[in-house]
Amino acid sequence: MTSWKEKLGSQIQDDWGEEIDVFAQQMVLRRQGKLAEKIFAETRLRRGVYGQRYDNGKRNDGLQDRALAFPCGDATKGPGTVWDAPGMLRIKIPYGALTIEQVEVLADLSEEYSDNISHITTRQDIQYHYIHIEDSPDLMRRLAATGITTREACGNVVRNVTACPFAGVCGGEAFDVSTYADALTFFILGHPDCQDFGRKIKIAFSGCETSPCGLTMFHDIGLIAKRRIVDGIPKNGFAFYVGGGLGSVPSQAKLLNEFVPEEEIFPVTLAVCRVFGRLGEKDNRTRARLKFLIKSLGMDEFTRLVEQERKILPHDERWAGYLKGPQQGLSKPTKEPSTLAEGPYPDGFKEWVAVNVKAQRQVGYATVTAVCPLGDLSANQMRSVADIARVYVGDNIRLTVEQNLVFRWVTEQDLPALFVALQEAGLAQPSAGTIVDVTSCPGTDTCKLGHASSRGLAAVLREQLAAINSQLDEAVKELRIKVSGCFNSCGQHHAADIGFYGVGRKVRGYMVPHFQVVLGGQWDNNAGSFGLAIGAVPSRNIPLAVRVITTHFVEGREPGEKFKDFIQRLGKPAVKKWIKELTAIPAYDVDRSFYSDWGDSREYSTGDLGIGECAGEVVTLAEFGLSESERQVFDAQLHLDKGVPEEAAQAAFKAMLTAARSLVRIENIDVPDQAEHIVTEFRNRYHETRVFHDPFAGAKFTNYFFRQYEEQGTDVDHETAHHRIEEAQLFIEAAYGCYARLGATAAA
Ligand code: HEM
Ligand code: SF4
C-alpha cells in the first residue's frame, strides 16, 4: 500500500516534511528507550501532540482508581503518560483562517483518526481528541500537504497567533491585520530565538482598541493596529503591548510602545522573546510567564532591555520583506456585491440575520457567523461548511475565539439561501455572541487538569437559555458566559460578564463539584478588565445562579448600565448575597445529583486529576540540541546499514556539528549555521579555553571533531564511516559531559 509519505511527499514543503520524518524517527527512538522521556515529551508537545485525561493508565470510578490496560505495557510517551493512551492533537490555524481544501481534509482526518469531531478552541485552533500517537506523523503529513502545521501548537514556544475574524472587512479597524498575523506566524515558527522559554508566549493582533477583536490585553504580546502620518505619509504600525495573561492570576498587558512601525514589529517581537528567553523564570513554572518577568523587573527596566536587545539584533531581510512581496492573508470576494431581495424569507431568517449577520465595510457584503455549540463540528458538518463556502464565499472562512466559524464576503442576495444551507447542516442557531452562545474549555472531558465538567455545564446552560431566549431581556441577551474547568482559565472566564471555573469541595465527607462564580469581566476594549470571583456554587445550582444573577440585573440596572458597571456599583458583598442560598447542598441520600458532575454518572471525585502538560517540560536549548545530535548519529547508522557510507559519514559529522553548536549557542545565540562558523566558535570558546577538555582524555574528542571537519568531502568506505560514527558518538558523550560540568559550575 502506498504510504501517505510517498503519496503526499511532493506536496509538502521540504522543511516541514523533514521535520515530520524526524518526529517519526524520534518516536522510534523513544520506543527503543534511546530518547529520554522528558525530552520526548517536550518534543512531541512542540509538534502539537498533547496528553489527555486518563493517559496515565488510570480512571477513577468515583470510589477508587481502576487500571486501564493498554497493550503497550510500560512504554511511555512522557512522564506518567502511557504510549498507547489516547491523546490530543492541536492544529495551529493562524488567525483562524481556513481554506475549503483545509476544511475538507480536517473533516476526513477527524473521521479517520479521531472521534469524528473537529473541535474549535478558544484561540482559533482546531483540536482532535482520542488520537493514537502513532497516527500523528500521517495526520501531520496530510495537514502539511494543505499548508497546515501542528508545529509549536503546544510546549514552551510561541503559540498560535490570533486575530479578529472580521479583520479586513470590519468598519472600525485601522487596517487589515491578517497579513501581519500571517507573516509573523511563519517568521516566528521554529525561530532559534523562540525555543528557549520557561513557558509559552501568546500573540494576538487587533484591528482597533475598543472592540474585543484580538483580546490583546490578556496576551503576552498584543498588537493593536494604528495609522499615523509620518513625514506627511500615512503609515501602518501597532501599539505594542506586553505581559498580559489569564491563568489563575490574570494580568492586563502593559504598553511597551505606543507606535511600532510595521517594519519593526518582527524585530521588536524577537527582542521581547530574547529577553524573556534569557531572563524569564525556568525552574518555577507557576511564575514563568512573561507577566511575572515584567513584574519583577518593572516596566521601565523591561523596556530598556528590549530596546537594547533590539539594537544588537542582526539584521534580517524578512523583517520588511513580506511587505514588498505578494501579501498573504488578505481576503477578496468571489462574487459581485448585491442587495438583499424583498421577502418572503425562510422562517427564522430575520431573527438569524439580526444576531448572526454583520454588514461588512464593503457595501453589498456581509459576514455570517455559524454557531458551533461547544466548538464541536462533526465530519459531515465540516463537509457542509466546505460545500457552502464553495458556493458562496470561496476560501473566506475563519474560526473565532468564541468557538464559532465565520463566512466572510457573503453577498447580501445570497443570505437567505446560505441560511437554509446552514439550517440543513445544523449550524444556523441564532445566538452568535449572545448569552446562549456559551464558551467552554475541554474541562474534565479530556483535560487532565479539569476539576469540573465545563463542557457539561456549558451544554446545559446553552440548552436552557436557548429555550427561553425569546423571553430574555435584551440587556441579558447581550451578556457573555464563559466556563473553564479549573482556575487555569482556558475558557477565558475572566473576560466574560458571567464566568465560571471548576473547583472540587468536600461537603459532609463527600466530594461535590462546584464552580467559582466570576462576575463583571470585560469583553470589549480587547478584554480591558477582568471579573471578580464572588464565591463557589455547587455545579447543579449554576443554572439557577445564572437565573438569579440575570434577574437582579434586569431589575436593578440603571438605564443603559452595562453589566460590569452594575456589578461594580453594587459591590462584592451585595452580589455575594444573591448566591448565598444557592450554596446549600442537600444531604447525599436526599439528592444525589449534587454529588455527580454534568453528563457523568460516576460519583464525583478529583481522583482523575493528573499532571498537566500545559507548561511543557523545561528542556534547555542545549539539551534539545544534544538530543538532536543523538538522533542524527542514529541516522548515520541507518545509512551505514543501508550500505551508503558517504551519507553515513556526512550524518556523523552533522551530528557532531549539532552538538558543538548547542554548546556554542549557550554563549553566542546568533552563531550562524555554517560549519566554518561553528568550528571557529567552538575552537575559541571550548577548545582553547580547555572547557571541553575531558578530565581524563583531554582534547581527544575535540580532535575527532576538528579532523572530521578537515576531511569532509574525502572518499569514505564502510570501515571509515563506521569509525566516524563511533567518534561522533564519543564526541556527543563528551558534549553532554561538558554541558553537565557547565551546569554544575553555574549552580555552584
Ligand atoms: C497549567 C496548565 C494550563 C494553563 C496554565 C493553561 C492556561 C491557558 C490559558 C490562560 C488559556 C487561554 C487564554 C489565553 O490564551 O491566554 C489557555 C488556552 C487553552 N488551553 Fe490551557 N492551560 C493549561 C492546560 C491546558 C490543558 C491540559 C488543556 C487541555 C488539553 C488546555 C486546553 C486549552 C485550550 C484548548 C486552549 C485554547 C488554546 C489554543 O487553541 O491555543 N489547557 N490555556
Ligand atoms: S481551564 Fe483547566 S480544565 Fe479547562 S482546559 Fe484549561 S487546564 Fe483544563
Side-chain angles (χ1 to χ4, degrees), residues 50-51 88 90 119 121-125 127 129 153 159-160 199-200 202 218-219 245-247 289 442 446-449 488-492 612-615:
Y50 212 109
M88 179 262 266
R90 186 174 294 157
H119 173 72
T121 75
T122 53
R123 294 198 70 257
Q124 295 178 307
D125 283 318
Q127 255 173 221
H129 294 100
R159 302 285 186 84
N160 195 31
R199 284 291 307 272
K200 60 191 166 186
K202 290 179 176 171
F218 64 67
H219 279 77
L246 294 178
R289 292 290 290 273
T446 51
C447 173
K448 296 196 224 189
L449 299 172
N488 283 320
S489 53
C490 309
Q492 306 178 337
E613 294 186 325
C614 60

Side-chain angles (χ1 to χ4, degrees), residues 99-224:
T99 64
I100 296 169
E101 183 198 14
Q102 289 169 339
V103 172
E104 283 175 332
V105 169
L106 284 163
D108 290 350
L109 298 181
S110 72
E111 199 171 56
E112 291 173 47
Y113 300 96
S114 177
D115 59 348
N116 205 40
I117 298 293
S118 297
H119 173 72
I120 306 170
T121 75
T122 53
R123 294 198 70 257
Q124 295 178 307
D125 283 318
I126 291 279
Q127 255 173 221
Y128 293 142
H129 294 100
Y130 309 100
I131 297 290
H132 195 294
I133 186 166
E134 278 165 23
D135 289 329
S136 48
D138 277 347
L139 275 156
M140 290 172 190
R141 285 191 185 99
R142 292 175 69 179
L143 291 165
T146 70
I148 295 181
T149 181
T150 61
R151 182 161 186 195
E152 296 171 11
C154 310
N156 299 324
V157 283
V158 179
R159 302 285 186 84
N160 195 31
V161 176
T162 55
C164 172
F166 303 109
V169 297
C170 165
E173 68 186 4
F175 51 83
D176 185 350
V177 297
S178 313
T179 195
Y180 301 91
D182 190 279
L184 186 59
T185 296
F186 294 104
F187 173 72
I188 289 286
L189 192 71
H191 196 289
D193 288 342
C194 306
Q195 309 297 314
D196 199 18
F197 303 151
R199 284 291 307 272
K200 60 191 166 186
I201 286 229
K202 290 179 176 171
I203 303 182
F205 280 87
S206 176
C208 75
E209 301 254 349
T210 48
S211 298
C213 288
L215 301 170
T216 46
M217 298 313 283
F218 64 67
H219 279 77
D220 299 271
I221 297 180
L223 296 115
I224 301 181

Side-chain angles (χ1 to χ4, degrees), residues 441-444 447 449-451 454 484-491:
C441 79
T444 47
C447 173
L449 299 172
H451 286 246
S454 44
S484 301
C486 78
F487 53 78
N488 283 320
S489 53
C490 309

